[in-house]
Amino acid sequence: MAVKVNQSMYARLFKLLLHDPVTAHEVAEETGMHVVTAGSVLRTMKKHKVVHVCAWEADRLGRDVTPVYKLGEGRDKPRHKFTAAERQARRRAKKLELTTLLGVRSV
């Protein structure tokens, strides 16, 4: 079911932003918007300096993927990007864990 983005939706969005920082998923859950639409509205608000990125939520691999928006002007928190050495160390640790868990030698 499609939900129209109207004044009522914007009012609910601002009410959410007044209390706590939010993600696009939280906005979609509370307002009934689609996640893509909520993300688009938040990015447009960021472009016009109504909100800023105050934090990032990490996925299960530790990568910063979901921006957390806060009402008001401010500096955006940069995303943490893994260096090549960090990626390589994580891969080696995971490979070592797997081989010890399975008791199999890698070729």
Side-chain angles (χ1 to χ4, degrees):
M1 180 170 112
V3 176
K4 291 185 179 181
V5 180
N6 54 22
Q7 291 89 352
S8 175
M9 288 289 182
Y10 284 110
R12 284 195 248 163
L13 175 60
F14 277 108
K15 186 176 180 181
L16 284 172
L17 284 166
L18 282 173
H19 295 293
D20 291 318
V22 294
T23 64
H25 294 282
E26 294 168 348
V27 169
E29 185 178 310
E30 291 293 323
T31 62
M33 286 187 215
H34 192 275
V35 174
V36 175
T37 305
S40 176
V41 169
L42 287 167
R43 282 190 303 276
T44 302
M45 292 173 75
K46 180 180 173 294
K47 179 181 172 185
H48 292 284
K49 298 184 180 183
V50 177
V51 297
H52 67 279
V53 177
C54 65
W56 289 89
E57 287 185 357
D59 65 355
R60 64 183 181 85
L61 299 176
R63 300 172 297 197
D64 290 342
V65 291
T66 307
V68 179
Y69 295 95
K70 186 175 183 179
L71 191 62
E73 286 190 50
R75 293 184 58 170
D76 290 338
K77 182 174 181 185
R79 291 173 71 173
H80 174 264
K81 296 194 179 188
F82 290 107
T83 63
E86 288 173 325
R87 286 193 304 270
Q88 187 176 37
R90 289 178 60 186
R91 174 68 182 132
R92 286 181 178 166
K94 192 178 286 187
K95 189 174 182 181
L96 179 64
E97 180 184 331
L98 184 64
T99 56
T100 56
L101 184 67
L102 297 176
V104 179
R105 288 180 94 176
S106 65
V107 178

